[in-house]
Amino acid sequence: MPNSSSISEFLLLPLADTRQLQLLHFWLLLGIYLAALLGNGLIITAIACDQRLHTPMYFFLLNLALFDLGCISTTLPKAMANALWDTRAISYAGCAAQLYFFLFFLSAEYSFLTIMSYDRYVAICKPLHYGTLMDSRACATMAAAAWGAGVLNSLLHTASTFSLPLCQGNVVNQIFCEIPQILRLACSGSYIREIVFLILIISLCFGCFVFIVASYVQIFLAVLRMPSEHGRHKAFSTCLPHLAVVSLFLSTGFFAYLKPPSISSRFMDLMVSVLYSVVPPAVNPLIYSMRNREVKDAVRKVMTKCVSKAVNYPAF
């Protein structure tokens, strides 16, 4: 049986069995990838350029868009390249790097989703203390903690996973490298340490989930007590998109890591990978822009400037 010292590359899950379907999937994923780049890029540009959006909520949203770009750029380009060139291979170092960056962006994004729920809680339930609790120093500290947690978590899990002896071949039943699929290749009984790490991180994630739910229970109770209909509408317009993103992120991520191996299949693994690594980064910009008038106005302003520059650009 091969071990980890003799493995120089892994074989990823192909998108399809026939060449025609592979090319079809390539163009489909390319369209999704470009849409994610455009949507998140517009949000980042709009927040950076519009002075009205230089507030804690939009600062965290900018970071979230950065992580969405990083997350989808870590997994999708390699899957598209394999589909285009009809290959399945990824190097050992490439697999480790992909796992590290994917975990980093995923962990940091979840941390920012938790921070954003706290930001909305303070803004709606403690508005008089918002300037003190969410000043620039507090925002920078929370952002640095989220980035640091992402680095630490990804480093810990990547080092632990790739230090395992691999005795079950080199076929990864996924379109990118992820922990559950690598653990299936480990020698029997050698992955207990990584299982313990996974239980710890899932417990932390569940704790963050409880915090998010508790925050939104308090938020909705406070919103329902607002006498002004305009105030309720504004509060819901900033909270509901965030709640939708949290729900999409957690439901797909938890299903990917907690689904029983007995229901695993090639089609199921492919659908789950798309659901939690591709869909959220692609639809998050739509979710945030659909109900948030300030974001829509800023994005419209950026697009208008881009169009006017393109129209007025001198032809040669």
Side-chain angles (χ1 to χ4, degrees):
M1 285 188 180
N3 55 44
S4 55
S5 62
S6 64
I7 293 177
S8 60
E9 66 178 20
F10 293 95
L11 299 179
L12 299 175
L13 184 71
L15 290 171
D17 294 324
T18 64
R19 185 61 182 153
Q20 290 78 9
L21 283 177
Q22 282 183 336
L23 293 176
L24 178 63
H25 285 141
F26 165 78
W27 289 111
L28 178 62
L29 293 181
L30 179 62
I32 295 174
Y33 183 57
L34 292 178
L37 291 180
L38 177 63
N40 287 289
L42 282 174
I43 285 183
I44 292 170
T45 305
I47 294 174
C49 296
D50 195 326
Q51 193 69 28
R52 298 174 305 167
L53 302 185
H54 291 181
T55 64
M57 182 180 75
Y58 295 110
F59 168 71
F60 297 137
L61 179 56
L62 183 147
N63 279 270
L64 195 69
L66 285 173
F67 292 129
D68 278 336
L69 280 180
C71 187
I72 199 169
S73 296
T74 300
T75 58
L76 220 52
K78 182 59 180 177
M80 290 189 298
N82 282 355
L84 182 62
W85 301 113
D86 193 20
T87 63
R88 297 175 56 191
I90 182 173
S91 67
Y92 188 92
C95 185
Q98 190 179 61
L99 179 64
Y100 173 83
F101 284 109
F102 182 69
L103 287 176
F104 165 68
F105 290 120
L106 212 63
S107 304
E109 180 167 348
Y110 189 46
S111 299
F112 267 97
L113 288 173
T114 306
I115 293 171
M116 290 173 74
S117 69
Y118 174 71
D119 171 73
R120 292 298 83 204
Y121 165 75
V122 175
I124 294 174
C125 299
K126 300 179 181 294
L128 298 179
H129 302 283
Y130 187 79
T132 304
L133 295 175
M134 299 300 295
D135 60 6
S136 57
R137 183 176 180 180
C139 292
T141 301
M142 287 187 284
W147 282 77
V151 171
L152 183 62
N153 179 61
S154 57
L155 185 62
L156 176 69
H157 283 289
T158 303
S160 175
T161 301
F162 281 90
S163 65
L164 299 173
L166 306 179
C167 305
Q168 309 297 326
N170 65 337
V171 178
V172 178
N173 290 320
Q174 191 57 278
I175 61 174
F176 59 90
C177 294
E178 65 172 2
I179 292 177
Q181 300 299 332
I182 300 296
L183 291 183
R184 292 183 182 183
L185 306 180
C187 301
S188 178
S190 64
Y191 48 81
I192 302 300
R193 179 182 57 187
E194 178 57 25
I195 293 295
V196 172
F197 287 156
L198 280 176
I199 292 174
L200 288 175
I201 196 62
I202 289 173
S203 300
L204 288 174
C205 290
F206 183 74
C208 291
F209 172 72
V210 171
F211 178 84
I212 292 171
V213 171
S215 298
Y216 272 98
V217 168
Q218 296 296 319
I219 288 171
F220 287 134
L221 289 176
V223 169
L224 292 175
R225 290 195 297 265
M226 288 182 177
S228 169
E229 184 178 350
H230 175 72
R232 289 196 298 270
H233 175 75
K234 185 175 181 180
F236 279 126
S237 68
T238 58
C239 292
L240 289 181
H242 177 250
L243 193 58
V245 170
V246 170
S247 302
L248 180 64
F249 184 85
L250 291 182
S251 60
T252 54
F254 280 171
F255 182 75
Y257 279 84
L258 300 179
K259 65 181 176 66
S262 58
I263 67 171
S264 180
S265 65
R266 174 177 168 174
F267 177 76
M268 176 70 73
D269 291 338
L270 182 59
M271 289 303 299
V272 168
S273 67
V274 171
L275 280 176
Y276 91 102
S277 66
V278 176
V279 172
V283 302
N284 282 355
L286 290 175
I287 293 175
Y288 276 111
S289 62
M290 277 191 301
R291 290 189 58 88
N292 194 308
R293 181 176 298 175
E294 292 176 330
V295 173
K296 285 193 291 186
D297 291 342
V299 169
R300 191 179 298 114
K301 187 183 297 184
V302 169
M303 294 182 68
T304 302
K305 286 183 178 179
C306 291
V307 171
S308 63
K309 286 182 179 180
V311 171
N312 297 325
Y313 193 80
F316 293 98

